Amino acid sequence: MKIVFATGNVGKLREASEILGEGFELVSLEQVGITEDIPETGKTLRANSLQKAQYLYEKLGCDCFADDTGLEVDALGGAPGVYTARYAGDDKDFNKNMDKVLYELSVLEGEARMAQSLGLKVKDKVSRRARFKSVITLIINGQVKMFEGALEGVIAREKSGNGGFGYDPIFIADEFPGLTLADISEEEKNAISHRGKALRAMAQWLQENSK
Ligand code: IMP
């Protein structure tokens, strides 16, 4: 069964193909001749993944899916959230994005320390708790299905590791204390990742429903 995946990222395509397994042929945007940026103007991850999948379905009229991922940091009120890719600007620079998150947390911690040193009552320690969330929208035989996955962890104090991409160097998953996602192997990350969970949920649904 052929399904178009709204991605140009070879790593994502490989991960999805491995998880879906035999019987599913995944096709990238490039392979179907889509070179333009697919609009993502929604206010939530669900809205964006639906918008991307619908765009593809309207253009191609075939089975397809799209994913959207965001990082939520509790102390930042859930930011960067839906703005994860462009948190520090439209150039989508991963280093600038990570620096912005680290800087904002350090400002909050600095304020808390100052308040404490002045003898003011500080509510709680600034939490570095965060999570990645992925939403996949699948359109199959014209029917829309959504799948979600999350990965819980904390934001590291500094960047570490050479693997992965995006915010991996500053994210420590609960499953690998003391190591960022960029310190662990691709297999270790895929086994616990937000996208891996959403993809496995979709794979299970497809296996049960696409006969
Ligand atoms: P997208 O929806 O997959 O394009 O993800 C949006 C942004 O989230 C990306 O530009 C990355 O910065 C970040 N991101 C997505 N997945 C991951 C991940 O697995 N690790 C680190 N950052 C990620």
Side-chain angles (χ1 to χ4, degrees):
M1 173 181 213
K2 226 181 203 175
I3 312 183
V4 180
F5 182 10
T7 190
N9 180 319
V10 199
K12 273 194 192 178
L13 200 70
R14 191 175 56 228
E15 180 189 4
S17 298
E18 277 165 16
I19 289 175
L20 289 180
E22 279 174 28
F24 296 98
E25 185 194 341
L26 291 195
V27 180
S28 70
L29 290 179
E30 199 186 10
Q31 287 168 297
V32 290
I34 293 190
T35 50
E36 68 273 24
D37 276 346
I38 301 182
E40 286 181 60
T41 54
K43 296 250 180 309
T44 62
L45 300 177
R46 286 175 73 87
N48 275 341
S49 84
L50 178 63
Q51 185 180 22
K52 287 190 271 187
Q54 271 175 335
Y55 179 94
L56 266 191
Y57 188 70
E58 276 161 26
K59 251 195 139 159
L60 305 168
C62 64
D63 297 336
C64 58
F65 69 94
D67 71 325
D68 201 45
T69 295
L71 174 68
E72 286 179 1
V73 182
D74 286 351
L76 304 181
V82 77
Y83 304 107
T84 295
R86 303 161 196 271
Y87 197 42
D90 280 343
D91 54 355
K92 298 187 182 177
D93 183 317
F94 294 143
N95 269 311
K96 284 200 228 157
N97 284 340
M98 286 189 284
D99 288 343
K100 185 168 176 189
V101 169
L102 291 177
Y103 173 74
E104 289 180 338
L105 285 175
S106 73
V107 168
L108 290 176
E109 287 173 341
E111 285 171 0
R113 271 196 305 274
M114 191 182 289
Q116 243 168 354
S117 72
L118 293 172
L120 299 171
K121 228 173 149 201
V122 180
K123 243 193 345 198
D124 281 313
K125 213 173 127 212
V126 174
S127 167
R128 299 184 78 90
R129 182 125 294 266
R131 68 208 52 79
F132 279 110
K133 279 189 182 165
S134 277
V135 180
I136 291 178
T137 301
L138 169 72
I139 304 186
I140 190 151
N141 302 322
Q143 184 194 354
V144 176
K145 285 290 304 173
M146 282 181 157
F147 306 91
E148 297 191 15
L151 176 63
E152 283 287 335
V154 290
I155 300 299
R157 301 221 153 256
E158 56 189 33
K159 295 174 199 162
S160 170
N162 300 313
F165 71 101
Y167 292 75
D168 281 350
I170 61 164
F171 190 88
I172 300 176
D174 290 344
E175 287 86 343
F176 291 93
L179 296 173
T180 69
L181 290 179
D183 287 319
I184 63 176
S185 70
E186 193 177 315
E187 293 72 43
E188 286 172 324
K189 181 184 165 189
N190 290 349
I192 58 164
S193 87
H194 39 294
R195 201 171 15 260
K197 286 175 190 153
L199 281 167
R200 277 187 285 280
M202 179 175 78
Q204 189 179 344
W205 187 89
L206 278 169
Q207 267 139 23
E208 290 167 1
N209 293 278
S210 67
K211 278 149 205 153

